[in-house]
């Protein structure tokens, strides 16, 4: 089963992807990880990607898809994979579909981790990290001390409420058309309520997958 994960920043998609990978016994494939591994291993597409990165350019979608293809031609993904962060735009959804069709496969299910905007703002802005050791702490005020090293906890600029709202706007602008694109192909994303503990959300995802 090839499972595609969608969801806003902070909805816990990456963590749920890992938990689902363990439960379902298939690997999780995240664009950033796969890209770094291909560059490190010096695969054909990895070398191509590196030439863009060395120039400080963004790696184009077609190169990323080539790297995904290398992954799907390997043994590791024979039983499927969980794709995290692979599709953020309609051209990427389209490109992924075409690439998989070329090798006789397809996205089987799309999971959309869904959570109320203001809950996300509250969740992300309650996160602080240690200035010194980068240890993340939850529900702690900026200015208090790190449990690990005694350094000062700060809130990352990215996690300030206004910055979070801005990230959510960008996400929605990009993702709404992606959801519509899948709906038009009768591959409607399955909505998972992402407000809850890790275990609760995981169980909801597994239940939804079983029902469909
Ligand atoms: Zn620290």
């Amino acid at each position: 089963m090839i499972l595609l994960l969608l969801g806003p920043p902070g909805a816990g998609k990456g963590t749920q992807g890992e938990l689902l990978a363990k439960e379902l016994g298939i690997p999780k494939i995240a664009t950033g990880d796969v890209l770094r591994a291909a560059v490190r291993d010096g695969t054909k597409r990895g070398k191509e990607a590196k030439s863009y990165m060395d120039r400080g350019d963004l790696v184009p979608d077609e190169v990323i898809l080539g790297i995904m293809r290398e992954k799907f031609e390997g043994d590791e993904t024979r039983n499927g994979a969980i794709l995290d962060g692979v599709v953020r735009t309609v051209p990427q959804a389209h490109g992924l579909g075409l690439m998989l069709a070329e090798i006789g496969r397809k996205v089987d299910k799309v999971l959309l981790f869904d959570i109320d905007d203001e809950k996300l703002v509250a969740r992300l802005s309650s996160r602080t990290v240690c200035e010194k050791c980068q240890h993340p702490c939850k529900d702690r005020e900026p200015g208090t001390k790190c449990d690990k090293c005694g350094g000062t906890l700060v809130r990352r600029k990215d996690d300030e409420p206004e910055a979070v709202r801005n990230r959510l706007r960008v996400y929605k602008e990009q993702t709404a058309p992606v959801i519509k694109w899948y709906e038009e192909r009768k591959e409607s994303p399955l909505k998972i309520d992402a407000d809850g503990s890790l275990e609760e959300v995981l169980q909801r995802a597994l239940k939804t997958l079983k029902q469909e």
Side-chain angles (χ1 to χ4, degrees), residues 21-210:
K22 240 180 246 164
E23 287 287 331
L24 303 172
I26 51 180
K28 181 184 113 162
I29 297 185
T31 304
D33 299 344
V34 172
L35 181 60
R36 274 188 295 276
V39 169
R40 186 194 59 219
D41 298 344
T43 68
K44 180 169 163 268
R45 293 299 201 157
K47 284 183 186 146
E48 221 179 314
K50 191 169 182 298
S51 73
Y52 287 96
M53 291 155 85
D54 286 347
R55 289 196 299 266
D57 289 334
L58 273 180
V59 181
D61 284 352
E62 60 188 75
V63 176
I64 303 271
L65 279 172
I67 290 174
M68 289 292 156
R69 185 176 177 141
E70 287 178 337
K71 209 70 191 162
F72 276 101
E73 284 169 342
D75 241 13
E76 188 198 352
T77 55
R78 197 181 334 145
N79 295 325
I82 294 174
L83 304 180
D84 170 24
V86 174
V87 170
R88 294 182 201 276
T89 64
V90 168
Q92 289 170 351
H94 189 61
L96 176 69
L98 285 179
M99 181 277 278
L100 288 173
E102 275 169 23
I103 55 174
R105 306 186 72 172
K106 66 178 178 70
V107 170
D108 295 294
K109 274 166 192 162
V110 182
L111 286 188
L112 173 64
F113 289 91
D114 190 45
I115 181 168
D116 181 72
D117 280 9
E118 286 311 306
K119 277 191 181 141
L120 269 185
V121 171
R123 190 190 272 192
L124 289 178
S125 57
S126 75
R127 242 180 7 187
T128 50
V129 292
C130 172
E131 209 169 33
K132 246 166 118 186
C133 73
Q134 302 302 315
H135 176 62
C137 298
K138 254 182 104 179
D139 298 322
R140 295 276 302 277
E141 286 299 313
T144 55
K145 298 287 170 212
C146 169
D147 310 327
K148 273 198 170 167
C149 76
T152 306
L153 298 179
V154 292
R155 184 184 289 148
R156 294 192 316 196
K157 280 220 162 60
D158 251 15
D159 290 339
E160 295 288 350
E162 255 330 288
V164 173
R165 289 196 186 96
N166 200 35
R167 279 155 73 195
L168 288 174
R169 258 195 302 278
V170 172
Y171 161 79
K172 279 188 188 156
E173 276 168 21
Q174 289 186 333
T175 308
V178 170
I179 294 171
K180 207 169 147 231
W181 191 86
Y182 280 109
E183 281 170 350
E184 282 165 7
R185 275 151 196 82
K186 309 276 175 271
E187 295 158 21
S188 297
L190 307 169
K191 250 190 205 179
I192 309 294
D193 176 7
D195 185 21
S197 70
L198 285 181
E199 185 59 26
E200 280 165 358
V201 178
L202 173 67
Q203 290 309 325
R204 283 179 204 144
L206 288 170
K207 198 174 153 201
T208 303
L209 283 172
K210 236 180 246 166

